[in-house]
């Protein structure tokens, strides 16, 4: 018995030694202690605690909220959530939508009545200030995240994937037929939240929209009717609109209908229609703006005057217009001045356009305004395309066509006066001419090396 007991004790001791030794060689943690409370582990399992040694392997789960219809109470969109616009999302009258810096909003796919857009209707308020961490509007197909907002699976050629942003107000606009209000383009007439116009030229005290990047928009609403990247209709002088980037929009980058809001620091990259479009006797100032054209772009500037009896003039100053296309790629214009336009367009740098691109004056009412000094230009500097002899050749008058309703029929010196306000250069513009590019360091365009 004693011999058997000794053998048993020896076997037990051996077993204990082996157990301890084997255990010390196995560093595999308990899976139950590795699970993540707010994420998904790399093995796909979820859990309630992230206290284990492999917590760093947890992948944070992105929160998404789908928004549709009218916002009827004060709401804050936070930068820890991605908001999906399902159709038209409308901020209600007397309701404030606050968007935190760094927030990502994605528009769903769809055309016509299904097109997605954020609409701030007349009487609604928005506080979207992305200074320090820009606010991004993009397509639901865009896989960007908070940590890598510029690391997109889409590029600057992907247009029309959702709608855009529309902000409307009660400021005056020059409308046809004596009307004082009108339906904004891109919104069906049956949707009354699309109305803009009125008599309050200071409208906009509760509108702040700055450091915002709008990408891949311009969804089709109807034949020849798309949504701009940013549309402002009837926005007055007390609104704060600045530091706006629009990338790859199928329609215009930014279009302003009437109103008197001043807008600073605009960057439009590679849209498929006009870069900056101003209409209906807008009376504000556009300062420090860049338009970078692509192969499908139309006018860098589309500048219109009044549509009704109300007249007004606006100012553009500190503007860079650049094309990335090669000569012969098409007939995209540097600018189109039309529709009884009155404006002052100063300190403009033009570069990279093909020889076929012109700054065109295309109706006799606008020609009259030029002759009278109501349309004037100063301090333009132009890098001439190959084959263009001088700055006068960049400014053209639309030839009269008897089959067209409009055409320059009066005598004007536009086209021969350019050497009085424009200079041909071969490199960078003089200090103060063109836009200050340093203020756009925060943009997607700069991150992609296109600035």
């Amino acid at each position: 018995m004693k011999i058997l007991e000794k053998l048993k004790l020896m076997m037990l001791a051996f077993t204990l030694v082996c157990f301890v030794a084997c255990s010390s060689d196995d560093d595999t943690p308990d899976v139950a202690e590795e699970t993540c409370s707010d994420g998904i582990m790399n093995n796909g399992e979820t859990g309630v605690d992230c206290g284990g040694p492999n917590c760093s392997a947890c992948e944070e789960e992105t929160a998404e909220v789908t928004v549709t219809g009218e916002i009827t109470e004060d709401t804050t969109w936070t930068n820890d959530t991605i908001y999906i616009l399902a159709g038209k999302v409308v901020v209600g009258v007397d309701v404030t939508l606050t968007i935190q810096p760094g927030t990502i909003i994605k528009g769903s796919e769809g055309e016509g009545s299904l097109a997605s857009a954020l609409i701030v209707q007349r009487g609604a308020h928005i506080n979207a200030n992305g200074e320090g961490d820009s606010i991004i509007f993009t397509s639901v197909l865009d896989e960007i995240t908070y940590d890598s907002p510029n690391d997109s699976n889409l590029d600057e050629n992907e247009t029309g994937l959702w709608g855009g942003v529309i902000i409307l107000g009660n400021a005056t606009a020059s409308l046809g037929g004596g009307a004082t209000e009108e339906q904004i383009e891109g919104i069906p007439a049956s949707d009354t939240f699309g109305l803009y116009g009125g008599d309050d030229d200071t409208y906009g005290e509760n509108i702040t929209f700055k450091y915002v990047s709008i990408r891949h928009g311009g969804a089709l609403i109807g034949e020849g009717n798309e949504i701009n990247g940013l549309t402002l209709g009837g926005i007055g002088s007390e609104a704060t609109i600045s530091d706006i980037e629009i990338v790859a929009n199928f329609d215009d980058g930014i279009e302003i209908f009437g109103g008197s809001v001043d807008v600073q620091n605009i960057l439009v990259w590679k849209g498929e229609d006009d870069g900056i479009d101003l209409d209906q006797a807008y009376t504000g100032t556009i300062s420090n703006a860049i338009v970078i054209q692509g192969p499908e772009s139309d006018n860098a500037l589309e500048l219109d005057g009044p549509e009704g009896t109300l007249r007004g003039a606006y100012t553009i100053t500190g503007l860079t217009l650049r094309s990335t296309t090669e000569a012969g790629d098409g007939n995209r214009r540097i600018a189109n001045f039309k529709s009884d336009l009155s404006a002052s367009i100063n300190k403009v740098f033009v570069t990279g356009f093909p020889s076929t691109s012109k700054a065109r004056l295309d109706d006799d009412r606008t020609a009259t305004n030029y002759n009278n000094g109501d349309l004037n230009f100063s301090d333009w500097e132009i890098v001439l395309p190959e084959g263009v002899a001088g700055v006068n050749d960049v400014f053209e008058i639309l030839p009269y066509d008897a089959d067209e309703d409009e055409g320059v029929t009066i005598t004007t010196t536009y086209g021969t006066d350019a050497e009085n306000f424009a200079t041909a250069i071969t490199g960078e513009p003089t200090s103060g001419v063109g836009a200050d590019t340093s203020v756009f360091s925060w943009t997607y365009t700069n991150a992609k090396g296109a600035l």
Side-chain angles (χ1 to χ4, degrees), residues 91-113:
V91 184
V93 175
D94 293 326
V95 171
T96 299
L97 172 62
T98 300
I99 305 177
Q100 289 184 345
T103 302
I104 296 174
I105 301 101
K106 297 184 178 182
S108 58
E109 294 182 274
E111 296 183 347
S113 62

Side-chain angles (χ1 to χ4, degrees), residues 370 391-397 412-419 421:
Y370 177 81
V391 292
N392 284 348
D393 296 328
V394 175
F395 297 83
E396 71 169 2
I397 302 169
T412 177
T413 56
Y414 177 87
T416 59
D417 282 349
E419 60 190 15
F421 62 80

Side-chain angles (χ1 to χ4, degrees), residues 35 95 125 143 149 175 191 195-196 204 211 219 262 309 321 328 330 355 363 374 377 387 394 416 426:
T35 54
V95 171
H125 311 149
E143 296 176 0
L175 308 174
D191 296 329
L195 289 170
Y196 70 97
Y211 291 95
D262 295 336
T309 57
L321 306 177
S355 59
D363 65 80
D374 296 322
F377 310 92
V394 175
T416 59
T426 57

Side-chain angles (χ1 to χ4, degrees), residues 106 136 138-145 149 151-154 161 215-216 444:
K106 297 184 178 182
I136 299 173
T138 187
S139 163
V140 73
L141 301 178
D142 196 339
E143 296 176 0
I144 59 170
T145 64
D151 188 13
S152 175
N153 56 306
L154 305 177
L161 302 182
R215 310 172 186 175
H216 311 296
Y444 174 84

Side-chain angles (χ1 to χ4, degrees), residues 339-363:
S339 304
D340 201 9
L341 172 65
S342 295
S344 294
I345 307 164
N346 314 312
K347 301 183 183 303
V348 180
F349 174 51
V350 180
T351 186
F353 284 84
S355 59
T356 52
S357 294
K358 308 292 183 182
R360 189 173 80 178
L361 189 73
D362 81 346
D363 65 80

Side-chain angles (χ1 to χ4, degrees), residues 138-445:
T138 187
S139 163
V140 73
L141 301 178
D142 196 339
E143 296 176 0
I144 59 170
T145 64
Y146 321 118
D147 297 330
S148 54
N150 294 323
D151 188 13
S152 175
N153 56 306
L154 305 177
D155 63 26
E156 67 275 12
N157 300 302
E158 302 283 350
T159 65
L161 302 182
W162 70 289
V165 179
I166 300 172
I167 306 176
L168 306 175
N170 287 318
T172 56
S174 182
L175 308 174
T180 59
E181 64 178 20
E182 189 168 274
Q183 187 78 355
I184 199 71
E185 69 175 28
I187 301 299
S190 58
D191 296 329
T192 57
F193 53 73
L195 289 170
Y196 70 97
D199 58 5
D200 181 6
D201 283 333
T202 65
Y203 182 91
E205 178 183 4
N206 295 308
I207 294 175
T208 297
F209 198 76
K210 57 190 298 188
Y211 291 95
V212 179
S213 179
I214 303 171
R215 310 172 186 175
H216 311 296
L220 183 69
I221 298 298
E223 184 65 32
N225 187 10
E226 300 87 19
I227 299 177
N228 306 303
L230 176 62
T231 301
L232 305 176
I235 303 300
S237 59
E238 292 193 11
T240 300
I241 310 286
S242 71
D243 301 278
I244 306 297
E245 176 190 42
I246 299 104
V247 176
N249 205 77
F250 188 74
D251 199 27
D252 301 337
I254 180 171
E255 185 162 12
I256 303 179
F257 296 87
S260 54
V261 62
D262 295 336
V263 184
Q264 299 84 34
N265 303 337
I266 304 169
L267 172 58
V268 181
W269 180 29
K270 216 167 186 182
E272 294 198 14
D273 200 354
D274 307 319
I276 299 173
D277 193 340
L278 307 176
D279 304 276
Q280 297 177 345
Y282 166 64
T283 58
T285 296
I286 304 293
S287 58
N288 205 65
I290 301 175
V291 178
I292 304 173
Q293 299 286 79
E296 305 301 325
S297 302
D298 196 4
N299 304 299
L301 299 179
E302 176 86 4
L303 305 183
D304 296 82
E307 294 180 6
T309 57
L310 178 68
R311 299 190 59 81
Y314 48 81
T315 299
I316 301 176
T317 186
L319 174 67
T320 293
L321 306 177
R322 193 169 92 225
S323 177
T324 59
T325 61
E326 300 296 328
D329 268 354
N331 294 312
R332 290 162 304 285
R333 284 179 290 276
I334 297 167
N336 200 20
F337 309 121
K338 62 178 189 174
S339 304
D340 201 9
L341 172 65
S342 295
S344 294
I345 307 164
N346 314 312
K347 301 183 183 303
V348 180
F349 174 51
V350 180
T351 186
F353 284 84
S355 59
T356 52
S357 294
K358 308 292 183 182
R360 189 173 80 178
L361 189 73
D362 81 346
D363 65 80
D364 43 0
R365 292 175 297 163
T366 305
T368 298
N369 293 342
Y370 177 81
N371 287 350
N372 293 339
D374 296 322
L375 172 60
N376 58 80
F377 310 92
S378 66
D379 298 321
W380 283 53
E381 294 185 357
I382 304 172
V383 178
L384 295 177
E386 184 178 352
V388 175
V391 292
N392 284 348
D393 296 328
V394 175
F395 297 83
E396 71 169 2
I397 302 169
L398 180 69
Y400 176 69
D401 186 340
D403 294 329
E404 299 291 336
D405 293 332
E406 293 183 343
V408 175
T409 59
I410 67 169
T411 301
T412 177
T413 56
Y414 177 87
T416 59
D417 282 349
E419 60 190 15
N420 296 322
F421 62 80
T423 304
I425 64 173
T426 57
E428 294 300 312
T430 303
S431 177
V433 175
D436 174 8
T437 60
S438 67
V439 303
F440 300 106
S441 60
W442 61 273
T443 61
Y444 174 84
T445 305

